[in-house]
Amino acid sequence: MGCNISLCSRNCTGDGELKSSKKSAEPKQYSWDLKKNIDVSQYTVDSLVDGETGRIPGSINGQQFQIKNCVNSHIYIYDWSNTVTIDDCKHCKIFIGPVKGSLFVRDCSDCTIVVACGQFRTRDCTNLDVFIHVNTQPIIESSSRVRLGCFQYWYEQLESQIYTADLSPWQNFWWRVHDFTPVEGGKNWSKLGSIFKVHDCLPLHEDPAMKGIDISTSEEKSVVPLTVGTSRSTEADESCLVAIFHSNSQDEMGRECLKMMRQAPGVFLVRTAHLQIRKADAERLFPSWMERVESGRVLCLQLGGVGCNQIASKFLINREKYVWISADRVEKDIQGLFGLCEMTLGF
């Protein structure tokens, strides 16, 4: 009886009537219910011919995006996506903002693509020019005449979009292509030479809906550093390794090192890595790093060209607490560091 009184005092009105529970009156909402309200056309470009279209920052916000059946058109996606597919497009020029997962290009020909992504893959494609920033190894399959270069781009929201998509501008393996269907005695892909620039291959947008978005493709402003990748020529050049340990100013110091490098004719950036190094790996490869790797990811830059060691030594001044440069065993240090990076990524 005492229990009945207690229940009534909690759940009844003054007239003895049961109160209605707000929580029980509200229907449950599931993720698939929310998807019913999505306008799929906002996340698709389909059958555009001889036209131009795009999406402004904030219009996609991590949704999946599709581009398909387009011919002789210009497409600009200035926002970040979860995944992107490009299918059956011909003679198109396409910019894709940061893609958290994969960009998959299928059955396309004679296209230019500029993209930053976690993974990049082509299948059944021919004659593509791709300026790419990719945090893993690019993959091509049943494709030919694929030419790749380093992503160079800037607009105001790009850097924050890159980090929102869980990408690092300091980890780009655009030249480390894996071809699932190689041809005997030849290659299905090649590196774009340094004379090829993004602005020569991808014109600026003209659509009035995007007129407020300022764009730059210059090396100085690009969010992603310009790297030349490894080759026989870079291996023969003078080299050095610069490591910048985790701090609130890590990115700023990396940019300052690049600025100093660009002021030295003949010095260039071969490759970069931004990785978490285990203490055991530090003990094996770089004993002096052991206490410094625990604070966070290490930013590593391989410089090349005559005078690169001089630039590194100059950069080190007054930064010894956060910066380390290779000294007596440069080649071994470079092989050890980037070998560890590629092993971690499963190359």
Side-chain angles (χ1 to χ4, degrees), residues 19-301:
K19 296 180 188 177
S20 62
S21 171
K22 287 187 177 180
K23 287 186 178 180
S24 62
E26 295 177 356
K28 290 184 178 180
Q29 237 181 357
Y30 299 96
S31 59
W32 50 85
D33 294 322
L34 297 175
K35 287 183 179 180
K36 293 178 182 177
N37 299 321
I38 293 177
D39 180 5
V40 177
S41 65
Q42 176 63 24
Y43 310 109
T44 306
V45 177
D46 189 2
S47 302
L48 182 67
V49 178
D50 297 326
E52 177 178 317
T53 190
R55 299 293 186 271
I56 62 174
S59 61
I60 300 174
N61 283 327
Q63 295 289 340
Q64 180 180 343
F65 202 90
Q66 294 180 313
I67 300 172
K68 54 186 178 180
N69 307 314
C70 298
V71 180
N72 196 36
S73 294
H74 296 175
I75 300 166
Y76 305 88
I77 308 302
Y78 294 123
D79 202 8
W80 76 280
S81 311
N82 186 37
T83 60
V84 175
T85 54
I86 305 176
D87 293 309
D88 298 290
C89 292
K90 295 178 176 61
H91 301 286
C92 290
K93 297 182 183 294
I94 304 171
F95 174 84
I96 304 287
V99 182
K100 181 174 183 177
S102 61
L103 171 70
F104 205 166
V105 187
R106 298 174 291 201
D107 299 292
C108 294
S109 62
D110 305 298
C111 292
T112 296
I113 301 171
V114 180
V115 63
C117 56
Q119 301 174 7
F120 175 83
R121 187 164 184 167
T122 72
R123 190 178 70 199
D124 298 315
C125 294
T126 184
N127 199 31
L128 302 182
D129 289 324
V130 184
F131 293 88
I132 186 173
H133 167 64
V134 58
N135 280 183
T136 56
Q137 191 171 20
I139 293 173
I140 65 172
E141 181 179 359
S142 302
S143 299
S144 61
R145 290 189 290 155
V146 178
R147 297 169 294 274
L148 297 101
C150 183
F151 178 98
Q152 293 287 274
Y153 221 79
W154 175 92
Y155 55 89
E156 185 179 358
Q157 299 87 350
L158 179 58
E159 183 172 12
S160 64
Q161 290 173 0
I162 282 178
Y163 285 113
T164 301
D166 291 332
L167 305 178
S168 171
W170 298 100
Q171 189 131 300
N172 190 7
F173 297 99
W174 64 266
W175 78 96
R176 289 285 280 114
V177 177
H178 178 72
D179 186 354
F180 268 123
T181 51
V183 293
E184 188 175 350
K187 290 178 68 175
N188 289 315
W189 68 275
S190 61
K191 291 167 62 175
L192 282 166
S194 59
I195 63 170
F196 295 95
K197 309 295 183 184
V198 172
H199 62 261
D200 295 325
C201 302
L202 179 73
L204 296 178
H205 59 256
E206 297 180 355
D207 189 336
M210 297 179 284
K211 66 180 181 180
I213 304 173
D214 292 327
I215 301 298
S216 174
T217 60
S218 72
E219 179 184 352
E220 292 76 14
K221 292 195 72 172
S222 178
V223 176
V224 175
L226 177 63
T227 52
V228 300
T230 57
S231 64
R232 290 182 179 178
S233 60
T234 58
E235 290 172 358
D237 286 322
E238 178 184 339
S239 294
C240 71
L241 179 65
V242 177
I244 304 172
F245 298 102
H246 180 77
S247 72
N248 292 334
S249 57
Q250 184 185 59
D251 186 88
E252 181 182 346
M253 284 190 284
R255 303 286 173 185
E256 183 60 30
C257 184
L258 297 183
K259 183 178 178 181
M260 294 174 64
M261 178 199 71
R262 286 193 291 265
Q263 294 172 351
V267 178
F268 49 86
L269 184 63
V270 179
R271 53 183 165 174
T272 62
H274 197 201
L275 70 161
Q276 183 69 55
I277 299 178
R278 298 183 307 162
K279 197 171 183 178
D281 290 324
E283 183 178 15
R284 177 171 56 88
L285 297 170
F286 306 100
S288 64
W289 294 15
M290 285 181 59
E291 302 305 321
R292 297 198 272 185
V293 297
E294 294 182 320
S295 59
R297 292 201 285 180
V298 182
L299 171 56
C300 300
L301 300 86

Side-chain angles (χ1 to χ4, degrees), residues 238-242 301-304 308-310 312 325-326 330 334:
E238 178 184 339
S239 294
C240 71
L241 179 65
V242 177
L301 300 86
Q302 180 185 346
L303 307 185
C308 66
N309 283 285
Q310 184 179 353
I325 63 172
S326 54
V330 177
I334 290 173

